[in-house]
Amino acid sequence: MTGETPSPPTPISALAFGVAFLTVQAALAFEGRYVAGDKTYRQELSIAKRVDGRFNVTAVVGTEGCSGFIDAVGAAADGDTLKAEGKADNETCVLVLRRTKTGVSLEEDDNCVYFHGASCEFTGDYRKRR
């Protein structure tokens, strides 16, 4: 030991740690089960954190004459946005989820019709299931 007192962390390193911590916490806030729609138009969404830091996203939609399902994998683009991609039979569907005050808002790209048909969609405002 040299008897020197270690210097306190610089404000920049403390700030970087704080930003990293808040980003991780915001990303974890996506985890959970969500619902949307009503009794005749059901939408469900499940988001789970993976060991590799990405997320598994499962979306289900169902109404008379139309139903759909997708398993997608994605990552947080920033603290409030998650982008996930699902593939099946050479088709790709991209889901963009944004946190809201009551849950998440989901928007799908134009290629998702393959996963649910023309009369329903995954797009919607989902509230967190209690």
Side-chain angles (χ1 to χ4, degrees):
M1 292 185 95
T2 61
E4 294 179 25
T5 304
S7 60
T10 63
I12 293 174
S13 64
L15 177 62
F17 173 77
V19 168
F21 179 77
L22 291 175
T23 300
V24 168
Q25 293 303 310
L28 289 176
F30 277 108
E31 284 189 290
R33 295 174 54 122
Y34 301 86
V35 294
D38 57 33
K39 290 181 181 182
T40 61
Y41 191 85
R42 181 181 58 93
Q43 293 173 296
E44 295 182 13
L45 182 64
S46 176
I47 304 170
K49 181 88 170 182
R50 296 166 44 119
V51 176
D52 65 5
R54 297 183 300 162
F55 291 88
N56 287 329
V57 177
T58 301
V60 178
V61 61
T63 188
E64 189 170 331
C66 187
S67 65
F69 172 84
I70 188 170
D71 270 331
V73 176
D78 62 40
D80 290 326
T81 305
L82 175 78
K83 187 174 180 180
E85 187 175 279
K87 296 183 180 199
D89 300 330
N90 295 322
E91 298 290 335
T92 301
C93 172
V94 176
L95 307 174
V96 177
L97 297 95
R98 291 183 177 81
R99 290 186 336 134
T100 65
K101 290 181 182 181
T102 58
V104 295
S105 165
L106 186 153
E107 292 180 33
E108 63 181 61
D109 70 7
D110 293 335
N111 298 323
C112 295
V113 170
Y114 176 81
F115 294 85
H116 56 61
S119 299
C120 56
E121 61 187 359
F122 302 124
T123 296
D125 293 321
Y126 293 74
R127 63 195 174 282
K128 194 141 190 178
R129 201 179 227 182
R130 300 191 191 281

